[in-house]
């Protein structure tokens, strides 16, 4: 079974994609697209993500562990019928090296500071132009569970799921470390 360990984050945002953790990078903030009032007392970001998944229109969530508060939000760029304040939008800082799961939502990245080693499927791919294109390349390969993208050299790595040594792996099971 795959497992991950991440540092404690106070304010996180992520998609309702079902993978744990499936968080947007630290420093990304989502505004508007609020579905109902915030929810207090859920106890964890996983519980907040579950609350998001339980609402048909919830595409992303926000969780602040300092006050145990959860926000359910429409998908990015969508003003769903339940939205109290229009379409959700995000603001991001510039990132150079990112890793994320092949979960189909954009962007769907692991927290900043997390690195994935081994589990490489084929050679790296240069020239894709973006982390979204790298994630799409990962989704196109049946065994790809996570990807890595370095924008400084425009390089993409497709990798097996965490803890899995898939048939296409060149170097065993993928594993992660948190800085």
């Amino acid at each position: 079974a795959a497992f991950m360990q991440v540092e404690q984050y106070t304010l996180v945002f992520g998609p309702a994609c079902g993978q744990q953790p499936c968080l947007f990078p630290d420093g990304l903030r989502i505004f508007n697209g609020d579905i109902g009032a915030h929810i207090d007392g859920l106890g964890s970001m996983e519980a907040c993500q579950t609350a998001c998944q339980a609402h048909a229109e919830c595409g992303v969530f926000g969780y602040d562990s300092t006050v145990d508060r959860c926000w359910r939000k429409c998908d990015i760029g969508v003003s769903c019928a339940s939205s109290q304040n229009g379409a959700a939008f995000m603001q991001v800082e510039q990132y150079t090296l990112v890793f994320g799961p092949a979960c189909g939502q954009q962007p769907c990245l692991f927290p900043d500071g997390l690195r994935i080693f081994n589990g490489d499927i084929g050679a790296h791919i240069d020239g894709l132009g973006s982390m979204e294109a790298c994630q799409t390349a990962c989704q196109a390969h049946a065994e790809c569970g996570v990807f890595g993208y370095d924008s400084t050299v425009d390089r993409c790595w497709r990798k097996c799921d965490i803890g899995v040594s898939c048939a296409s792996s060149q170097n065993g099971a993928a594993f992660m470390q948190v800085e």
Side-chain angles (χ1 to χ4, degrees):
F3 69 95
M4 301 182 204
Q5 190 170 11
V6 296
E7 299 172 350
Q8 181 64 34
Y9 293 90
T10 57
L11 180 60
V12 296
F13 293 91
C17 67
Q19 299 193 27
Q20 299 293 335
C22 186
L23 304 176
F24 296 139
D26 189 39
L28 180 145
R29 299 295 179 259
I30 301 173
F31 300 94
N32 293 356
D34 294 309
I35 297 173
H38 61 263
I39 304 168
D40 290 330
L42 292 179
S44 70
M45 67 180 169
E46 293 83 5
C48 182
Q49 187 176 38
T50 299
C52 179
Q53 292 167 343
H55 193 286
E57 291 184 306
C58 188
V60 295
F61 69 92
Y63 179 72
D64 186 340
S65 63
T66 61
V67 293
D68 192 16
R69 182 164 290 162
C70 175
W71 294 269
R72 296 171 300 166
K73 295 177 175 280
C74 306
D75 252 328
I76 304 301
V78 175
S79 181
C80 61
S82 301
S83 176
Q84 297 179 331
N85 49 10
F89 67 94
M90 66 176 120
Q91 293 180 345
V92 296
E93 299 171 356
Q94 182 63 34
Y95 293 92
T96 56
L97 181 61
V98 295
F99 293 90
C103 68
Q105 302 202 23
Q106 302 291 336
C108 183
L109 304 174
F110 296 134
D112 190 39
L114 182 145
R115 301 292 178 258
I116 301 172
F117 299 94
N118 291 354
D120 294 308
I121 297 173
H124 62 262
I125 304 168
D126 290 331
L128 292 179
S130 70
M131 66 180 167
E132 292 84 2
C134 183
Q135 187 177 38
T136 298
C138 179
Q139 292 167 348
H141 192 286
E143 291 185 305
C144 188
V146 295
F147 70 92
Y149 178 72
D150 186 341
S151 64
T152 62
V153 293
D154 192 15
R155 182 163 289 163
C156 175
W157 295 269
R158 297 172 301 169
K159 295 176 175 283
C160 307
D161 259 326
I162 304 302
V164 174
S165 182
C166 62
S168 301
S169 176
Q170 297 180 328
N171 48 11
F175 68 94
M176 64 177 69
Q177 291 180 345
V178 179
E179 297 177 336

